[in-house]
Amino acid sequence: MAILKLDQVTKRFGGLVALKDFNANLEEGEIVGLIGPNGAGKTTAFNVITGVYKPEQGRVTFNSRDITMLKAHPRTAMGICRTFQNIRLFDQMTVLENILVAMHIRLKKSIFSVVAGSPGYQKREKEMKEEAFELLRYVNLDHLADERAPNLPYGQQRRLEIGRALATNPKLLLLDEPAAGMNPQETAELMEFINKIQGEFKLTIFIIEHQMMVVMGICKRILVLDYGLTIAQGTPKEIQNNPKVIEAYLGVKDSA
Amino acid sequence: MTLTHFFQHLANAVYLGSLYALIAIGYTMVYGILRLINFAHGELLIVGAFIAYYGILIFHLPWWLSFIIAIALGALVGMSLERVAYRPLRERGAPRISLLVSAIGASFFLQNLGLVIIGGRHKSFYRPPFFAQTLQLGDVTVMNFLFILPIITIIILGIVFLLVYRSKTGMAMRALAKDYPTARLMGININRIIAYTFALGSALAAIGGIMYALRYPAIHPLAGVLPGLKCFIAAVVGGIGNVPGAVLGGFILGMLEIMGIAFFPHLAGYRDAIAFIVLIIILSFKPTGLLGEQVVEKV
Amino acid sequence: MTKQRKLILLVGALIVSSFLIYANFFFDPYVLRILNLIAIYMSAALGLSLINGFTGQFSLGIAGFMAVGGYAASLLTLPISVKESIFFIRPLIWPFNSLELPFIVGILFAAVMTAIFSFLIGFPVLRLRGDYLAIATLGFSEVIRVVSTNTITITNGALGLKGIPAFTNIWWSFGFAGFSLFVIWRLINSSYGRAFKAIRDNEMAAEAMGIALFKNKLLAFVIGSTLAGIAGALLAHLLTAIDPAMFRFFLTFNVLLMIVLGGMGSITGAVLGATIVTFLFEFLRYLDSPMEWGFITIPGAPGLRMVIFSTLLIIMILFRRQGLMGDRELSLAWIEKSFSRIFHRRGGGNGNS
């Protein structure tokens, strides 16, 4: 069954059509890649799915519920979470706190009981901290729990961002260029990591990535965008041999 | 209300509108480039008015010379303000809120320095006969300056347009307002352009201050606070960063303030609240102002 | 909480309260008044710090909410006879004209009224960001002031309220400062506090993590403004007279200076800032009034004090933007660490130092 369905989604900025008649179907448990040259509309697609932008036309359905006009934060509650192309951590907070923020959505305690320090809240806070530590151990950052997020090296910041997204208990995870700026070894580790979390958290993953090694390595299916239009989709093998894709990436071949 | 009264009010409204427009242009230019509410802009009005006042009173200068000197010195004060209170923060890449705090500090500094030097008593601004002469139009009696200011505003508007849209510096200013890092990469001397913008905006503030003093001749160091705030609101209502928007906003506020009170005299006590209420309404429905462009945040 | 921490807290509370008891009986009224002011501004500064510092919503409307609190409480506590004598232009409206209630009721009413006002004002303005928000909150604060100048049958207009009973004493002011400290401390270190700070640090990421931006901003705004409103009520019952001019932007400026000086985003900073600024404000009072030194009389320069204060603000923001404390806190852990360091040094023996 499709967990996420985008139906003829169009998003414009002024005169610029960032995304046109975009269709996508993500089956539960799939890892799907979204590729295309810079400015092709990939991040716009993510923003439409997560509710940062509302599309002018089309429908976004998640778990058979129409979420096209829903705000961003209830979508997170429903199980959609993301990372950002340019890392967006909470800079004045520690690594542990970054994770805890993402659990606030599941707190379900009134502000009065929190300020009064009710036993229920204290128990919940303790559970949250334990869960956050477990998650930090899982992403191998537990030894840095009290470090401020910006003090982490780049690769660990990326990992923390993924960990933070996992803390919201997502069903669908959107990764926006997770391998950007990584060396081949880090990239290989990342691929393994993505495969691992997909299995253990029973995630559906939608991933934007420029490093073809990643996309070809972990995605079963790939969508290709160019100038807001979907120019191809299929298995990695099909995409690699698709003349349209080659053209979009390398420019028009001179046939003369 | 008789027709005579109506026209009398209308003349007042046009005057106040052009006054606000004039000052709002300065605000909008500075904001357009620095993304900074120059809280001290209102104080620059009063600086201009007082320099003109003392030029006539102490140095016995002819009024026009005193006015010109006041405008020039006003520009200088504005540039120094930028140099001391804003530039260091900008160069260190401080968040915008820090600049705002610095601007609030600068505003209070100038106000209270004025109190220390000049004292809190109202001074009576000299009205040159040329401005004070009355004009009889049918039943409506108006003073000359009521006509002069809108004309000056139009002329200045023309000059500002030429400077911003036709000169090389103006092009640099617009580039800076649009895209800071790219403008820098293109070899634009940012500090020079910002200083220039401040000089221009502050000169406009000084002109506005003199015009304000001609209309409301009782001046004192804190007199710039309220018109300063209102003109900022005018700039926001019109769409900050947008020169025609500032003019539009200025006229809207001026009209509402005069005509609103003219039609509902029992609300006279609320006159100073009108601008804020307009601001809140406009921002609720069109957060970027009437003519402002929508800014999309890059994710 | 460990035993050691409980001990530190207990000792701290004992020291503070014995100082206050001593002060209450032996300090002269002028010094007591300054102490009261420090405590009241502490609460207001903590309120503003929650909004501006921790949630990152730069509000300039604190004076307006202090006015609401001051008027609301005074209207209930003013003796009926005083009400009849000060409202001589037009009488006070019902039901205030026939009420004379205890201080605690006045304070609760102040809290409810500021909460309602801040909710109604926060609703439109918190959709704005950064400097737009600043100017809109400033606008509302000014509107409150203009309205209070004009609603003569409630506020007595520009004449203000006089003869407010001097209910505020050291127990009330420090009691409430302690309460504010407790509330903000608990809040900031809770899941809600993390949500507020997340909004400050990165609004878009916070929303992507499921934080309801508007709801949480409004929450912080209402709580912070309500603390300031109660501070306004205490202020009114300390000074025994209020008028609209008291609640100009000037008042907001002072509270802003406190949190900028102390460090936006630090509770310790707000407390420190409130203490320093209030103290300096009184200490420098002589600058504004004439002085006589033997034969020489220096004429006072009204405004000189504010020149110094605004210079202080600019210098602070230019050279130490993060304030005295930054976003650090004087925490129990820190106290423990310094204590154990001292003991280790003294104890020698067991350490390899």
Side-chain angles (χ1 to χ4, degrees), chain C residues 49-353:
Chain C
S49 196
L50 177 67
I51 304 168
N52 291 24
F54 289 109
T55 319
Q57 304 303 304
F58 201 83
S59 154
L60 291 176
I62 210 79
F65 296 120
M66 289 179 79
V68 171
Y71 275 103
S74 307
L75 282 173
L76 292 194
T77 57
L78 263 176
I80 292 171
S81 57
V82 178
K83 282 175 178 162
E84 277 163 4
S85 72
I86 59 171
F87 281 83
F88 56 80
I89 301 178
R90 284 166 70 190
L92 180 61
I93 53 158
W94 188 88
F96 299 116
N97 60 359
S98 49
L99 285 178
E100 187 177 335
L101 296 168
F103 193 29
I104 182 73
V105 183
I107 290 203
L108 290 177
F109 185 60
V112 171
M113 287 313 283
T114 27
I116 293 173
F117 266 76
S118 55
F119 180 80
L120 293 177
I121 290 173
F123 219 80
V125 300
L126 287 170
R127 298 183 189 283
L128 307 170
R129 281 185 201 163
D131 33 18
Y132 282 85
L133 173 67
I135 207 84
T137 45
L138 170 60
F140 263 115
S141 179
E142 287 293 301
V143 170
I144 288 176
R145 195 173 61 76
V146 171
V147 170
S148 67
T149 318
N150 284 286
T151 49
I152 299 176
T153 52
I154 302 172
T155 60
N156 204 23
L159 294 173
L161 303 178
K162 286 181 190 65
I164 303 167
F167 284 143
T168 300
N169 55 26
I170 215 103
W171 311 121
W172 276 108
S173 59
F174 275 89
F176 182 63
F179 173 78
S180 310
L181 208 56
F182 173 80
V183 169
I184 300 285
W185 189 274
R186 269 284 172 84
L187 198 54
I188 283 315
N189 293 305
S190 77
S191 191
Y192 281 92
R194 289 191 292 265
F196 294 165
K197 287 186 269 188
I199 293 174
R200 169 193 67 189
D201 282 3
N202 199 322
E203 212 164 89
M204 187 169 288
E207 191 170 29
M209 294 309 123
I211 309 286
L213 295 182
F214 186 67
K215 190 187 132 202
N216 281 287
K217 285 179 188 176
L218 196 59
L219 214 48
F221 189 71
V222 170
I223 295 172
S225 304
T226 306
L227 290 185
I230 299 175
L234 291 170
L235 191 64
H237 291 80
L238 178 71
L239 306 177
T240 70
I242 51 172
D243 63 72
M246 248 176 75
F247 301 101
R248 283 178 187 280
F249 183 42
F250 175 79
L251 180 62
T252 300
F253 174 87
N254 280 341
V255 184
L256 181 68
L257 174 62
M258 291 169 192
I259 64 170
V260 169
L261 184 74
M264 273 202 250
S266 161
I267 294 175
T268 320
V271 170
L272 214 57
T275 312
I276 294 172
V277 172
T278 313
F279 178 76
L280 274 184
F281 204 71
E282 291 300 324
F283 182 72
L284 296 177
R285 193 174 277 282
Y286 72 87
L287 288 177
D288 280 15
S289 47
M291 265 181 295
E292 272 184 56
W293 287 340
F295 303 102
I296 316 155
T297 304
I298 300 168
L304 192 51
R305 198 161 46 142
M306 280 310 289
V307 171
I308 293 175
F309 271 55
S310 43
T311 314
L312 183 65
L313 182 75
I314 297 176
I315 288 176
M316 207 67 203
I317 209 77
L318 286 185
F319 298 106
R320 205 179 152 80
R321 207 164 65 217
Q322 70 276 35
L324 294 173
M325 296 299 293
D327 56 4
R328 283 165 304 163
E329 299 288 359
L330 175 68
S331 66
L332 290 175
W334 184 83
I335 295 173
E336 275 172 354
K337 223 187 279 169
S338 353
F339 263 100
S340 62
R341 217 177 295 146
I342 292 167
F343 287 135
H344 273 289
R345 211 175 292 153
R346 295 239 173 103
N350 57 344
N352 46 1
S353 50

Side-chain angles (χ1 to χ4, degrees), chain A residues 7-12 17-22 48 54-59:
Chain A
D7 205 8
Q8 300 287 319
V9 171
T10 299
K11 175 71 202 164
R12 293 189 187 86
V17 184
L19 203 59
K20 187 159 171 50
D21 297 333
F22 182 60
V48 168
K54 308 279 179 288
E56 275 80 36
Q57 284 155 37
R59 246 158 51 107

